[in-house]
Amino acid sequence: MRALVYHGPAQISWDTVPDPGIEEATDAVVRVDATTICGSDLRILRGELPEVKPGAVLGHEAVGEVVEVGDEVRRLRPGDQVIVSSVSSCDRCPECRDARFGQCRGGGGWILGSLIDGTQAEYVRVPFADHSTTRRPFALSLNDVVLLAELLPTAYEVGVRNGHVCPGDTVVVVGAGPVGLATAIVARLYSPRRIIVVDLARARLETALRVGAEAAESPGTMIAELAEGPGADVAIEASGDPEGFVLCTRAVRAGGHIANIGAHSGPATLHLESLWRKNVTISTGQVDTSSTPWLLELMECGRLPVSGLVTHTFGLDRMEDAYEVFAGGTVSGALKVVLRGERTQQTLSEATAPAACPSGSQGQIQT
C-alpha cells in the first residue's frame, strides 16, 4: 500500500510500504476512506515527540471500511463502515473501565501514528477494534464524520466538559484554530450567555463569528474589560501558546475554570502570585473519545454544524501538499484538511441532509 512515512524531523514522504495485517486477535484492518491532519502531526515533524521513530506511518484519525478482523473481534465484520478513534482502548484496565481511554495501561491510549503505524495510509491496522471504533452512518458526510475521530471529542471532553460550561456563562476561547472553533460550536449546546473567541488571525476570527461565537477579536480591549471586571466563567486555552495560557488566567473570574486543550511544547508561566486568591480551577486533559457516540447522535440531528471547519480536501496521494497547506493555515486559510481515498472520491454518494434525531436524544445534554 501507499502511506505517509516519517523519516525524521521535517522529513516525510508518500511511500510504498507493506500492507498491514492482523497481528493480535483483537485487531481489525480498515481501508481508509478519509483521514485528516492534526496539530500533533506537526509537532512530530518539528521533532518534539521523540517517541515517534523514523519509519513510522503518521496519522491517528480516520473513517473507513473494515476489510479483515481478528478471531476475538465480536462487534465488527468486513464491510462495516467505522470511525477509527484517535485513542485505542483495551477495555480491561482500570482506566478504560473508568472511560479514561487516553490513559489506557493495557497497550492502548494514543498509539496510532505514534507508537504504531497510523491512519495516513490506504489501510490501517486498528488495535482493540471492538472498543476503538464507532459505526459510521451513511447519511453523514465523510468530511463531517471524520471530525468525530478526535477533534469534536477533544473540544467537548477537554474543553467544554472539563471547563464546566453552564447555561448563562461567559466563555472565552483563546485560539481560533480547528479545536478552538470546534469548542465554540460544542459550547453552544450548553446555552452560555456569551462565547468570545480570541486569535491574532483576522480570517479565523471571521470564521469564529460564522460558527456562532458572540464576539471574536485579537487580545485587547474586551479581554482587558473582562480582566478588570467580572471576568469569564470559563476560559479555554486552545492555542498551545504560553501567552494564550497567561491570557486565560487574566480573563477568568474568581471561582472560574480554566480548561487547557492546547498541546504545549514548552513551559507556560503560572502566575500564582495573582491566582492564589481567586479560587480558580485549572484542568488539563488527553482526549478519551468516550463521547464519540453521543456526539455522533447530535451530528445526526443536525445539532453540530461543523461543515465549515473543513476548508480543504485532497486525495490521499497529495498528502505532502496537504501538510504544507495545513501547516501554513494562518496564510492559506486552512482549518481542517481532509484527505480522501480514491474509492470515495470516485464512487461514494453522500447525503447532506441530517437524519431524524434518535428517539430520546433531542436536545439532551450529557455530562
Side-chain angles (χ1 to χ4, degrees), residues 80-264:
D80 286 344
Q81 299 289 322
V82 294
I83 303 164
V84 178
S85 172
S86 62
V87 171
S88 302
S89 166
C90 76
D91 197 47
R92 295 176 179 175
C93 70
E95 285 73 15
C96 286
R97 291 296 190 185
D98 199 30
R100 292 185 288 119
F101 308 143
Q103 308 300 321
C104 175
R105 295 188 182 183
W110 176 33
I111 55 175
L112 284 172
S114 172
L115 302 181
I116 66 172
D117 286 342
T119 60
Q120 291 170 4
E122 293 177 322
Y123 294 86
V124 60
R125 178 179 71 90
V126 181
F128 311 113
D130 276 337
H131 313 292
S132 305
T133 59
T134 303
R135 295 286 184 89
R136 173 231 168 178
F138 270 108
L140 294 176
S141 160
L142 274 176
N143 282 8
D144 287 354
V145 79
V146 74
L147 304 180
L148 290 164
E150 180 181 55
L151 182 71
L152 291 171
T154 299
Y156 170 62
E157 296 170 11
V158 188
V160 173
R161 187 175 66 187
N162 280 4
H164 296 270
V165 174
C166 294
D169 277 353
T170 293
V171 178
V172 169
V173 179
V174 177
V179 72
L181 294 172
T183 300
I185 291 170
V186 177
R188 291 179 61 193
L189 296 170
Y190 288 79
S191 302
R193 183 170 68 90
R194 304 178 74 190
I195 300 175
I196 303 168
V197 176
V198 180
D199 201 279
L200 296 173
R202 176 53 51 186
R204 290 189 166 184
L205 293 178
E206 292 171 358
T207 303
L209 294 175
R210 289 198 297 271
V211 302
E214 185 270 342
E217 66 162 35
S218 300
T221 304
M222 190 175 295
I223 297 301
E225 290 174 354
L226 284 170
E228 296 171 5
D233 300 284
V234 183
I236 299 174
E237 204 298 297
S239 70
D241 187 285
E243 292 303 315
F245 179 78
V246 172
L247 191 61
C248 287
T249 66
R250 288 180 53 215
V252 71
R253 68 166 173 82
H257 290 80
I258 298 172
N260 186 89
I261 297 178
H264 291 259

